[in-house]
Amino acid sequence: MEYDGVAIRTGSSPAQVRFVVIVQYTRKTKDGRYDAGRGQKIGVINAFCRNQPNSKCPPME
């Protein structure tokens, strides 16, 4: 699953960043590389910013 979101900085220098969080709610990752263990689940796999150079999120000070 993928979730889209927006982080907004208010104040004297407002900014907006769109981000994506990739989630896989299962015991093992799709590639089989990670296993959370019997009875356990893996949650967030990755998160990144969409509208930034190299998909790197800027600091939101």
Side-chain angles (χ1 to χ4, degrees):
M1 292 183 279
E2 287 188 11
Y3 295 93
D4 292 317
V6 178
I8 299 173
R9 178 178 61 203
T10 60
S12 60
S13 62
Q16 177 176 314
V17 175
R18 292 184 319 133
F19 62 90
V20 177
V21 177
I22 300 171
V23 177
Q24 188 175 351
Y25 189 71
T26 184
R27 177 182 164 176
K28 295 181 183 180
T29 55
K30 192 183 290 186
D31 63 5
R33 188 171 176 188
Y34 299 100
D35 185 336
R38 188 174 177 190
Q40 301 298 311
K41 300 291 184 193
I42 294 171
V44 173
I45 300 295
N46 200 353
F48 60 93
C49 291
R50 280 204 194 271
N51 61 338
Q52 298 298 310
N54 301 318
S55 295
K56 183 177 179 182
C57 296
M60 295 295 277
E61 299 173 6

